[in-house]
Amino acid sequence: MAVTQGEIDREIARAREAYEKAVSEGATRTAQPARDYPPYRSSALRHPKQPLVAVALERDPEAVELGSPAFGRTDVTALDHDLTRQHQGAPLGERITVSGRLLDRSGRPVRGQLVEIWQANAAGRYAHQHDQHPAPLDPNFTGVGRTLTGDDGGYSFTTIKPGAYPWRNHSGAWRPAHIHFSLFGTAFTQRLITQMYFPGDPLFRHDPILQSVTDEAARQRLIARYDHDRSEPEWSLGYRWDIVLDGPTATWIEEGR
């Protein structure tokens, strides 16, 4: 029998209570969740259990790139950051602008870094053959974009607010609306992946992935804030989300998942 949402909620509460108890007894607060966080059922099957395999770079320095992603044959273009202008027609849904800065632990801008995003459409459907959620696809929305950070570490995307969608972690499981972010350093091996959420989502407290970040302050850093000054009249609502790469205020990264 499938685990119910109520059972998952109780597991989330127990994990949070155990974390806060440990902190009150002197444990260090951490933004990184346990890799085998029990309410996130598939994490027990997905996280590494064996030591990482060392690559003999002195013998084959290019070997580390063999399993890395490829961007294709074209450079980043002026339209890659606007997911609403990549097709002949306009996509359906609430148009939004998501912008912010990529920063190091000291608050200094990280310039010239590749930032990629991917997301579901307004109906909660990914344009991917493995997504069989019976929600409509949008022929004018692919859901992927990329840009480079500026001298101030800034980035900006224009897109459609994604919808919630069901997943099979447990019975009645729905993921809150979110956008996946991929960040590259100076090499493919420095790639970091995280997720950005939207304020006030009622699904937050039911989501094992977000709740696996048991530290409240770290969890809040994953939620963008509405920024009216970034909204464009009669065009899009604005959200601000800064990404901090390391240090005590670092943004949670999907480490080892």
Side-chain angles (χ1 to χ4, degrees):
M1 181 180 296
V3 178
T4 66
Q5 182 67 64
E7 291 172 294
I8 291 294
D9 290 346
R10 288 188 286 274
E11 289 183 15
I12 289 172
R14 287 194 295 269
R16 186 181 305 120
E17 289 171 3
Y19 171 78
E20 293 298 341
K21 182 175 185 294
V23 168
S24 69
E25 294 173 349
T28 302
R29 288 191 174 275
T30 176
Q32 289 297 336
R35 293 181 176 179
D36 57 351
Y37 181 71
Y40 184 9
R41 289 296 192 259
S42 60
S43 67
L45 303 174
R46 296 172 61 188
H47 76 83
K49 297 184 178 65
Q50 301 298 326
L52 298 178
V53 176
V55 177
L57 296 180
E58 68 279 2
R59 292 199 303 270
D60 186 3
E62 295 185 358
V64 73
E65 305 289 352
L66 294 179
S68 301
F71 303 129
R73 300 179 181 179
T74 61
D75 294 331
V76 177
T77 72
L79 290 181
D80 284 351
H81 74 283
D82 190 340
L83 284 67
T84 69
R85 298 173 60 192
Q86 296 174 349
H87 300 277
Q88 290 185 345
L92 299 174
E94 179 184 317
R95 189 183 291 107
I96 61 174
T97 298
V98 177
S99 57
R101 299 175 70 203
L102 183 62
L103 307 168
D104 68 13
R105 66 184 300 147
S106 300
R108 294 172 298 199
V110 183
R111 306 174 179 87
Q113 301 301 296
L114 179 68
V115 181
E116 295 180 309
I117 64 170
W118 66 96
Q119 62 169 94
N121 65 19
R125 179 92 180 259
Y126 287 96
H128 192 283
Q129 61 182 352
H130 288 164
D131 187 349
Q132 297 301 310
H133 169 37
L137 287 168
D138 187 337
N140 293 311
F141 189 77
T142 307
V144 295
R146 58 183 182 169
T147 192
L148 295 173
T149 57
D151 288 341
D152 64 347
Y155 74 87
S156 182
F157 290 99
T158 299
T159 184
I160 296 297
K161 186 176 181 181
Y165 60 81
W167 62 308
R168 296 178 179 177
N169 185 76
H170 55 275
S171 177
W174 285 80
R175 293 236 55 217
H178 61 280
I179 297 177
H180 299 266
F181 275 71
S182 169
L183 314 166
F184 283 90
T186 57
F188 288 143
T189 53
Q190 296 174 354
R191 188 187 192 200
L192 301 175
I193 296 174
T194 186
Q195 298 180 20
M196 185 208 85
Y197 297 85
F198 294 87
D201 196 315
L203 292 172
F204 283 162
R205 69 188 186 93
H206 301 299
D207 182 46
I209 295 180
L210 178 60
Q211 294 298 329
S212 69
V213 184
T214 47
D215 187 79
E216 173 67 18
R219 195 163 58 249
Q220 288 299 318
R221 291 196 292 271
L222 294 174
I223 303 171
R225 65 179 177 86
Y226 174 69
D227 188 338
H228 196 73
D229 290 338
R230 292 172 184 258
S231 298
E232 298 186 34
E234 302 182 29
W235 181 253
S236 69
L237 294 179
Y239 291 89
R240 180 183 180 92
W241 192 55
D242 294 337
I243 305 169
V244 181
L245 293 178
D246 60 0
T249 60
T251 304
W252 170 72
I253 299 297
E254 295 183 8
E255 179 182 354
R257 292 189 182 275

